[in-house]
Amino acid sequence: TWLRSDFMARLAELPRVVGVKDATGDLSRPCFERQIIADEFCYLSGEDATAVAYNVSGGRGCISVTANVAPALCAQMQRACLDKNYALASQIQDQLMPLHQALFCEPSPAGVKFAVSLSGRCDAYCRLPAVPLSVSSKQRIREAMEGLGLLG
């Protein structure tokens, strides 16, 4: 962690670097890096399932896969975090968790492509190296979306 933090501190000094997407799942990174980065720096989660916890640790948003499928809920969750209403953000995150898990039950991007295809915005076709989802994974995604009222 120290070596990465030192590297991030050097990157933060560059005029065109204003933030970082962190998809490691290590919720301590913003805490460590804020100790050595003096200027304002934007920490963005790249991990949907830990986005709220990352924001509590100092993050300021998420580069989200799930937001492609449930944009309104993801925006509400991030707004709650920015307002420091972590109870509401956690409640929304709990609602989204089955969708997060379903979208990543097989390698990405097949899950999100299938989910978005259910709303008619694209087809579910995947080219190599991505492969189509199994029938059970498709059902899991469909059920998660139905549970959130995302399918009409």
Side-chain angles (χ1 to χ4, degrees), residues 105-120:
C105 66
E106 293 189 33
S108 190
V112 71
K113 283 201 71 168
F114 176 74
V116 173
S117 78
L118 292 177
S119 64

Side-chain angles (χ1 to χ4, degrees), residues 22-89:
D22 184 348
T24 64
D26 182 351
L27 300 175
S28 67
R29 285 188 171 185
C31 299
F32 286 122
E33 290 170 4
R34 280 196 323 269
Q35 301 300 311
I36 61 171
I37 297 174
D39 296 330
E40 187 170 327
F41 198 69
C42 185
Y43 300 95
L44 298 169
S45 172
E47 175 70 33
D48 281 294
T50 61
V52 171
Y54 193 85
N55 286 341
V56 171
S57 296
R60 296 202 352 222
C62 181
I63 297 175
S64 170
V65 171
T66 304
N68 291 288
V69 181
L73 281 171
C74 289
Q76 289 169 6
M77 184 183 73
Q78 290 300 322
R79 171 55 49 203
C81 286
L82 290 172
D83 293 341
K84 301 202 181 318
N85 186 346
Y86 297 119
L88 176 59

Side-chain angles (χ1 to χ4, degrees), residues 101-145:
Q101 292 171 317
L103 291 176
F104 292 100
C105 66
E106 293 189 33
S108 190
V112 71
K113 283 201 71 168
F114 176 74
V116 173
S117 78
L118 292 177
S119 64
R121 294 184 286 162
C122 73
D123 64 41
Y125 172 76
C126 289
R127 63 175 188 195
L128 292 175
V131 295
L133 295 173
S134 67
V135 172
S136 63
S137 293
K138 288 178 181 180
Q139 185 60 31
R140 186 174 176 188
I141 291 169
R142 184 182 306 275
E143 289 172 0
M145 290 177 70

